Amino acid sequence: MSDHTELTQPNASFITRFLVSQWGRALLLGLVCGVSFFLHSGASAVSLMESRNFVAAREMVAGGSWLIPTINQELRLAKPPLPTWAVAALQQLIGPTDNLALLRIPAGLAATLLVFFFWGLCYELTRRQRFENTAPGHTAWLAALVLATSLLVITTGREGQWDIFATSLAMGGLWLLVGGWQRPVRQAYRWLVGAGVLLGLAVLSKGPVPLYALVLPFVLAYLIGQPVHRQAVRARAGATLLGAVLAIIIGGSWPLYVWLKVAPAARAVARIEMASWADRHVQPYWYYWPFFAFTGLWALVALAALVWPYARPRLRGFIPYAVVFGWVLIGLLLLSIVPEKKERYMLPLMPPLALLVAGLLRYWLNQPAYPTSPARVSYAFLPRVWATLLLVLLLALPVAMAFVGFSGFGVGSLRFGLMVVLAAVLGLGLIREGVLRGRVSSLISSTLAMVLSIIGLAMPAYPRWEARRDVLGRQHMREVRQLPGFRGVGEWYSLDTLHVKQVWAAGQAVPIWHPTIAQLSDLSHPIVAVSGQPAEDRLPAGWSKFIRISRQDSFYLDRSRNSGVWFVSKLEPIEQMSR
């Protein structure tokens, strides 16, 4: 009897039957997404990309242009504005805030949509597979669970930057695209029109990047070597063309508006962005070779599913293996030929990897739960290796907590106790059901429990881990802005180019200012100036006749001493002080 047969037999409990129903699956998937993308989402510090997005949203809400965004009162045209609109709309709803957990809600919702869109796409791809009638929809649901608990998807979905919005909307476009191609011609129009809308919104999230990194690899893999798919697309050419036109109109609307309004600035930004693909963050072609490891605890299964001779004959009854495998390889190739490379750019590779993992899990689940003959025992080798790796990691978690010893997380704390109990319970289960029996249903449950438990129990310690190299006694911009000497001073300026993360921490725009003597003589009220050198060294000669400088504090740009010290001063007109 296979693992899955035990879950769906007639005498299964009501809870078990509910969990394998469509509503039960949707509920469980939603709960997993809630933990993966929302629980303790404010724990990590703001990232560079987030700070750009959040500063631009803050300036929109403060009265800036929604169509031509600014960062620190300078034009921000390098990225399309849809993710910024989402954050700004949230602040319009709840009021201005610097609470990271709240500001990351749109990204978490986008990540959740990514998972559910992917579930829909996987259902369209697998519903006609040979073994699908044994457990309808099970492969697609497993793939969605794997994606929701993959390492790179979790980390990206918990950050309010552009990639998660673009990938999510592009995935929705793919789901509707395939759904339209597989429906009768009359029904295809509404599917493919919806696909065009979502793909256009994906372009409004990160330009052509999601089309290049996610949509193009899938479409090529779906059509090359698949005459039935090509015939279906040709039969729906009119609806497909209509969807493509809609995508171009929606995706091109903002760039066209910017071009019409600020063409010189748009040209300059375009030149910089094109050059950056070849000049910034350049890595060798093989930089992405460990991409499968970014599925996290599913990495061993993902690696096995990529081995064509092993996986293809086993998985093709559960998933369209050639299409999904081609999707991964073409996506990897297209990403690798671009000189600029970053880890988060691998996000488009995670969905096809999740479907490969789900296909292999389904194959294992369909094998006998308690193999006895040597021929049947052989299939359980990889699940047992996987169980062993999970066991080692699980036992290492409480050891790591004890070794680090953060207050509230070390030996004797409630969280440490819960982690020990978790390690004991799951560890015994892994030994009994995984290592000894190779029972895959137990391994899937244990993996999900481990991912969610790590987020729930260990994520709150992340701020302390980030702050472990902080210089004691040194202020940061967030604390500096609260100093008594700055009360009632509304204007802040930077005498040097201030990092955008510090602009975010300042709570307001800190525009660059290179004052002349005439400007200093006309100064009628106090202002705050920040600079990489003492303010007196950054002002023109003769400044002392018109203003008085009182240095209030200094702060490090980052956590270490090597990050550079910046000075914060109050500049007051001498005439006003004498009065």
Side-chain angles (χ1 to χ4, degrees), residues 382-396:
L382 279 177
R384 286 177 172 138
V385 174
W386 182 28
T388 303
L389 293 176
L390 291 177
L391 180 63
V392 171
L393 175 61
L394 182 65
L395 297 178

Side-chain angles (χ1 to χ4, degrees), residues 476-505:
H476 296 287
M477 177 65 93
R478 188 171 300 277
E479 292 82 31
V480 166
R481 75 185 194 189
Q482 306 296 334
L483 292 176
F486 297 148
R487 290 174 183 168
V489 182
E491 294 184 42
W492 286 52
Y493 295 95
S494 176
L495 304 180
D496 297 291
T497 300
L498 186 63
H499 195 282
V500 68
K501 291 174 73 171
Q502 302 302 324
V503 176
W504 168 249

Side-chain angles (χ1 to χ4, degrees), residues 120-419:
L121 174 63
C122 291
Y123 177 77
E124 296 296 332
L125 293 174
T126 61
R127 63 192 177 96
R128 296 176 181 172
Q129 293 300 119
R130 181 159 44 100
F131 293 137
E132 186 64 10
N133 59 351
T134 62
H138 193 50
T139 305
W141 182 61
L142 276 178
L145 282 174
V146 171
L147 186 68
T149 51
S150 292
L151 177 62
L152 187 57
V153 177
I154 292 174
T155 56
T156 310
R158 297 169 72 88
E159 283 194 3
Q161 36 92 346
W162 283 262
D163 295 81
I164 194 62
F165 290 89
T167 304
S168 174
L169 292 166
M171 181 59 66
L174 283 182
W175 166 46
L176 296 180
L177 202 64
V178 174
W181 288 341
Q182 294 188 355
R183 295 298 187 285
V185 175
R186 289 186 178 181
Q187 297 178 19
Y189 275 89
R190 62 187 181 189
W191 285 77
L192 295 173
V193 165
V197 171
L198 289 180
L199 291 176
L201 294 176
V203 174
L204 281 181
S205 297
K206 206 180 177 185
V209 172
L211 302 184
Y212 175 82
L214 183 65
V215 177
L216 179 60
F218 175 83
V219 172
L220 291 176
Y222 189 79
L223 298 180
I224 294 175
Q226 306 291 330
V228 175
H229 293 170
R230 292 197 298 272
Q231 182 180 358
V233 174
R234 280 196 297 267
R236 296 153 184 82
T240 303
L241 179 61
L242 177 59
V245 170
L246 275 175
I248 292 172
I249 293 174
I250 295 172
S253 59
W254 181 76
L256 177 61
Y257 178 84
V258 169
W259 187 266
L260 293 175
K261 292 294 184 179
V262 286
R267 284 195 295 267
V269 170
R271 286 193 295 267
I272 294 173
E273 288 297 303
M274 292 176 65
S276 70
W277 281 60
D279 297 336
R280 291 188 305 191
H281 306 286
V282 174
Q283 300 292 344
Y285 292 110
W286 55 88
Y287 179 77
Y288 291 133
W289 75 264
F291 65 98
F292 61 89
F294 287 83
T295 58
L297 299 186
W298 308 100
L300 177 66
V301 188
L303 179 60
L306 287 167
V307 180
W308 177 282
Y310 170 81
R312 183 176 180 272
R314 292 169 172 82
L315 274 61
R316 60 184 176 182
F318 300 96
I319 64 173
Y321 185 79
V323 171
V324 184
F325 185 79
W327 184 8
V328 174
L329 287 191
I330 296 172
L332 180 63
L333 175 63
L334 292 179
L335 289 174
S336 297
I337 62 178
V338 177
E340 183 184 18
K341 297 178 178 67
K342 297 179 183 178
E343 288 181 354
R344 59 185 170 85
Y345 291 174
M346 289 185 280
L347 182 63
L349 298 177
M350 296 301 107
L353 274 179
L355 185 50
L356 288 175
V357 169
L360 187 51
L361 293 177
R362 278 298 315 278
Y363 166 76
W364 285 342
L365 285 169
N366 254 36
Q367 303 307 307
Y370 303 101
T372 55
S373 67
R376 291 181 176 179
V377 170
S378 62
Y379 93 90
F381 172 73
L382 279 177
R384 286 177 172 138
V385 174
W386 182 28
T388 303
L389 293 176
L390 291 177
L391 180 63
V392 171
L393 175 61
L394 182 65
L395 297 178
L397 289 174
V399 175
M401 290 179 70
F403 177 77
V404 174
F406 289 148
S407 175
F409 296 88
V411 177
S413 67
L414 176 61
R415 286 192 176 92
F416 180 80
L418 291 174
M419 186 64 79

Side-chain angles (χ1 to χ4, degrees), residues 85-129:
W85 290 341
V87 178
L90 175 72
Q91 294 200 60
Q92 288 280 56
L93 182 65
I94 66 174
T97 179
D98 58 3
N99 185 311
L100 293 179
L102 293 176
L103 293 171
R104 287 166 175 163
I105 287 176
L109 292 175
T112 302
L113 278 178
L114 168 64
V115 172
F116 277 85
F117 284 152
F118 179 63
W119 186 15
L121 174 63
C122 291
Y123 177 77
E124 296 296 332
L125 293 174
T126 61
R127 63 192 177 96
R128 296 176 181 172
Q129 293 300 119

Side-chain angles (χ1 to χ4, degrees), residues 456-572:
L457 295 177
M459 185 59 72
Y462 194 73
R464 300 186 190 182
W465 177 258
E466 286 186 316
R468 68 191 185 281
R469 291 191 297 268
D470 278 5
V471 178
L472 297 179
R474 177 65 69 178
Q475 297 270 25
H476 296 287
M477 177 65 93
R478 188 171 300 277
E479 292 82 31
V480 166
R481 75 185 194 189
Q482 306 296 334
L483 292 176
F486 297 148
R487 290 174 183 168
V489 182
E491 294 184 42
W492 286 52
Y493 295 95
S494 176
L495 304 180
D496 297 291
T497 300
L498 186 63
H499 195 282
V500 68
K501 291 174 73 171
Q502 302 302 324
V503 176
W504 168 249
Q508 63 183 62
V510 189
I512 297 177
W513 186 44
H514 299 300
T516 63
I517 283 293
Q519 289 174 315
L520 294 177
S521 64
D522 290 338
L523 193 65
S524 60
H525 54 273
I527 63 171
V528 175
V530 298
S531 53
Q533 302 176 24
E536 50 266 31
D537 296 337
R538 302 296 296 154
L539 296 178
W543 61 265
S544 58
K545 299 178 182 178
F546 306 104
I547 63 170
R548 182 169 299 169
I549 299 175
S550 57
R551 186 181 302 170
Q552 301 293 314
D553 211 320
S554 58
F555 64 93
Y556 285 124
L557 275 178
D558 208 341
R559 300 183 180 277
S560 68
R561 296 179 185 276
N562 296 329
S563 63
V565 176
W566 273 55
F567 302 90
V568 188
S569 305
K570 182 193 288 187
L571 278 56
E572 300 175 90

